[in-house]
Amino acid sequence: MPELFIGGRWTAAVDGHVREIRCPADGTLVATVDEGGPKDSAAAVAAARDAFDRGPWPGTPAADRGRLLIRVADLLERDKDAFARAESLDTGKRLVESEYDLDDIANCFRYFGSLAASGGTDRAVDTGDPAVDSRVVHEPVGVCSLITPWNYPLLQTAWKVAPALAAGNTFVLKPSELTPHTAIGLMRLLAEAGLPDGAANLVLGTGPGAGAPLTTDERVDMVSFTGGLATGRHIMAAAAPTVKKIALELGGKNPNIVFADAEFDTAVDYALMAVFLHAGQVCSAGARLLVQEKLHDAFVDELVARARRIRLGGPFDEQARSGPLISAAHREKVEAYVAAGLDEGAVLRCGGRRPDDPALGDGFYYLPTVLDDCTPGMSVVRDESFGPVLTVERFRSEDEAVALANDTFYGLTGGVWTQDSGLAQRVASRLRAGTVWINDFHPYVPQAEWGGMKQSGVGRELGPAGLAEYQEAKHIWRNTAPRPQRWFE
Ligand code: TXE
């Protein structure tokens, strides 16, 4: 069965191209899928435009849109095992992590379904003139291009698809060319749930081939993108000539700050999870550990001892705690960052190479790596390596911790560990990041906004603001007693 979904029909790529999808854990062939290009993207935009301009989706009552999204959540729960397996085969991540993701994905659809059904934020405005009936209503933006990456393929798709549909938009989705399967599955569920033809369209293919046309086409009103900073800059520029609305989530280089009074065992435990979860391929990863000077030696010794024990393995290895990187090219990028860090004076405490285990030889594995004695100017500290690489810096005072933490052009997340709640709150309020965790790392809920300050992005996903991204506010002013004013006489 062909895998592009355009105007309610499954179709092959116009040029007949296909791509092999291989599991990053062992290189096995998962499937061969259709690979679209500019012509397919143009056809998908045409379908989405038509479905927006002629309806019925944008004009469907918000409560009915909400009910459909809740039905999608039910279907995702019904098919959870198949989706989790597909996600793990494409990404190489542990099955248990994909299962957690699937729960979050269903919750995301349920949340935006409820938000849509709750009636939204339309409001009456008191103009001071009793003859005027003034209202602000919220309408869909129009046709949205949704471009998503490979690390949390369906989760990041859900964060866009659910609010886009809740608000009444139509869309073209372009998932990462490396991880297309759960996006294909989602299209099936949207159709099964009763979404009208053309409201949801799927194009598979590369960024330059299938993605770029979605950012320049004048029939597209909005681009929502999650991915790397360089691609985000490119997309922002590509969308400028037609002044599209944009929403960008471009990752981070997130500080995890540990004060000397932190609860030792828990802080070590979370510092490992913060950076090594999913082999560090997480936009919110706590990849920069900032430790207070007097705790540094004991903390890093214990961290390194535990990092050496992290077992690597494929999706179905129940003993594994971390998996492979997404591709050979990505592993080479991570290796280059570590090499640069060592050249610049970082001290290798563990990892720094591929594992010896021959059983892992066909996958893109890299050992959990800790680099000590790092400084802010190093490229491995500054840039997102997006691998299992933790850099360690020391600080003495609260001010120094905040200055180091904010010494980055990113601003997505940050963590602070201390038993002093006043200190924790002060630091949390001074961090320039969209999410701050106190004595925790990584949790999020669909009710709370997610997104970045500075070059981590533009706009917010999740929460009420995540719905507002996909809406336009319109002011409707009705004069209930119009009379000639004769202002020109
Ligand atoms: O991402 P890209 P890549 C970071 C991470 C990683 C780096 C590069 O640091 O090492 O990005 O990863 C599509 N027009 N993150 O190269 O290029 C592409 O096909 C339109 C952080 O894999 O950003 C895919 O669907 N679309 C991040 C999506 O963009 C284009 C998650 C993401 O790919 C395009 C992943 C173009 N010109 C990587 N070029 C996070 N924020 O969580 C590419 N694409």
Side-chain angles (χ1 to χ4, degrees):
M1 181 164 157
E3 282 105 0
L4 310 191
F5 188 62
I6 298 176
R9 292 184 37 228
W10 292 97
T11 168
V14 173
D15 290 333
H17 294 152
V18 293
R19 166 183 292 264
E20 287 187 346
I21 305 300
R22 292 186 175 273
C23 180
D26 55 15
T28 53
L29 183 66
V30 177
T32 300
V33 297
D34 293 297
E35 172 107 323
K39 291 176 206 150
D40 303 288
S41 296
V45 169
R49 187 75 259 166
D50 193 59
F52 188 83
D53 293 343
R54 293 169 195 252
W57 186 247
T60 300
D64 292 345
R65 295 201 299 258
R67 269 192 285 279
L68 185 137
L69 292 178
I70 290 167
R71 203 146 61 234
V72 173
D74 293 341
L75 295 175
L76 282 162
E77 279 163 1
R78 181 196 71 189
D79 295 347
K80 174 176 169 177
D81 291 349
F83 271 95
R85 201 182 146 74
E87 196 80 307
S88 279
L89 287 173
D90 277 5
T91 60
K93 78 166 69 169
R94 296 183 306 141
L95 187 62
V96 63
E97 287 183 39
S98 295
E99 288 168 351
Y100 290 143
D101 292 350
L102 256 296
D103 291 340
D104 286 356
I105 291 159
N107 281 341
C108 177
F109 275 94
R110 222 172 270 295
Y111 169 71
F112 281 109
S114 310
L115 199 62
S118 72
T121 48
D122 294 353
R123 67 184 198 279
V125 177
D126 182 1
T127 65
D129 180 346
V132 169
D133 167 23
S134 161
R135 283 176 306 124
V136 174
V137 298
H138 292 87
E139 298 183 350
V141 176
V143 173
C144 303
S145 293
L146 310 179
I147 301 176
T148 52
W150 43 261
N151 55 336
Y152 286 85
L154 191 59
L155 187 73
Q156 282 148 331
T157 296
W159 288 17
K160 301 185 190 309
V161 165
L165 289 179
N169 298 277
T170 63
F171 70 80
V172 180
L173 168 65
K174 210 284 305 160
S176 167
E177 57 275 30
L178 303 176
T179 55
H181 280 104
T182 48
I184 299 168
L186 180 64
M187 293 300 122
R188 292 207 176 95
L189 293 197
L190 291 173
E192 184 181 344
L195 190 70
D197 289 351
N201 302 275
L202 174 71
V203 180
L204 307 180
T206 64
L214 302 176
T215 66
T216 52
D217 194 310
E218 64 185 0
R219 295 167 296 179
V220 169
D221 300 292
M222 171 173 178
V223 181
S224 176
F225 168 77
T226 300
L229 179 54
T231 306
R233 288 184 182 129
H234 190 83
I235 285 177
M236 202 168 178
T242 47
V243 196
K244 300 188 192 314
K245 190 167 184 192
I246 55 163
L248 305 172
E249 204 269 59
L250 308 178
K253 192 70 192 190
N254 312 294
N256 186 22
I257 308 170
V258 182
F259 284 91
D261 72 333
E263 208 286 296
F264 186 87
D265 185 38
T266 314
V268 174
D269 190 76
Y270 274 74
L272 290 164
M273 189 273 287
V275 65
F276 295 131
L277 179 76
H278 193 18
Q281 302 168 115
V282 185
C283 52
S284 53
R288 286 190 296 140
L289 178 66
L290 311 180
V291 198
Q292 198 157 23
E293 179 73 57
K294 54 188 168 212
L295 184 67
H296 171 274
D297 292 356
F299 196 86
V300 177
D301 286 351
E302 181 60 23
L303 186 93
V304 167
R306 294 191 203 178
R308 287 202 170 104
R309 296 203 296 269
I310 294 174
R311 186 185 152 106
L312 302 183
F316 309 109
D317 176 350
E318 289 180 4
Q319 306 307 314
R321 290 294 172 269
S322 195
L325 294 169
I326 189 69
S327 65
H330 185 50
R331 180 168 62 178
E332 281 162 23
K333 177 181 145 177
V334 172
E335 288 173 330
Y337 272 116
V338 172
L342 296 175
D343 274 356
E344 289 167 315
V347 173
L348 181 67
R349 294 294 307 270
C350 65
R353 60 181 174 82
R354 301 174 186 189
D356 299 325
D357 184 353
L360 302 178
D362 291 332
F364 307 121
Y365 291 93
Y366 193 74
L367 289 174
T369 297
V370 177
L371 297 177
D372 202 358
D373 292 340
C374 292
T375 52
M378 294 176 179
S379 55
V380 70
V381 173
R382 201 183 55 225
D383 298 339
E384 194 182 50
S385 70
F386 223 56
V389 180
L390 181 67
T391 63
V392 185
E393 298 166 78
R394 306 159 195 241
F395 66 88
R396 286 185 190 75
S397 66
E398 175 183 339
D399 283 349
E400 197 185 350
V402 170
L404 276 176
N406 285 334
D407 187 6
T408 167
F409 46 80
Y410 286 111
L412 191 62
T413 71
V416 49
W417 291 83
T418 171
Q419 300 188 57
D420 176 342
S421 60
L423 172 63
Q425 292 295 343
R426 282 197 305 278
V427 173
S429 69
R430 293 172 71 190
L431 290 185
R432 297 282 298 151
T435 296
V436 177
W437 294 292
I438 297 173
N439 296 332
D440 212 327
F441 216 97
H442 280 317
Y444 78 94
V445 287
Q447 304 93 303
E449 277 74 2
W450 177 272
M453 299 185 185
K454 300 192 267 183
Q455 294 185 39
S456 282
V458 175
R460 289 292 178 272
E461 302 198 280
L462 304 181
L467 179 63
E469 290 289 341
Y470 291 91
Q471 294 176 318
E472 295 277 16
K474 178 185 280 181
H475 179 202
I476 301 178
W477 170 293
R478 184 167 73 99
N479 186 345
T480 60
R483 299 273 180 278
Q485 292 197 352
R486 312 210 184 282
W487 61 268
F488 46 84
E489 289 178 0

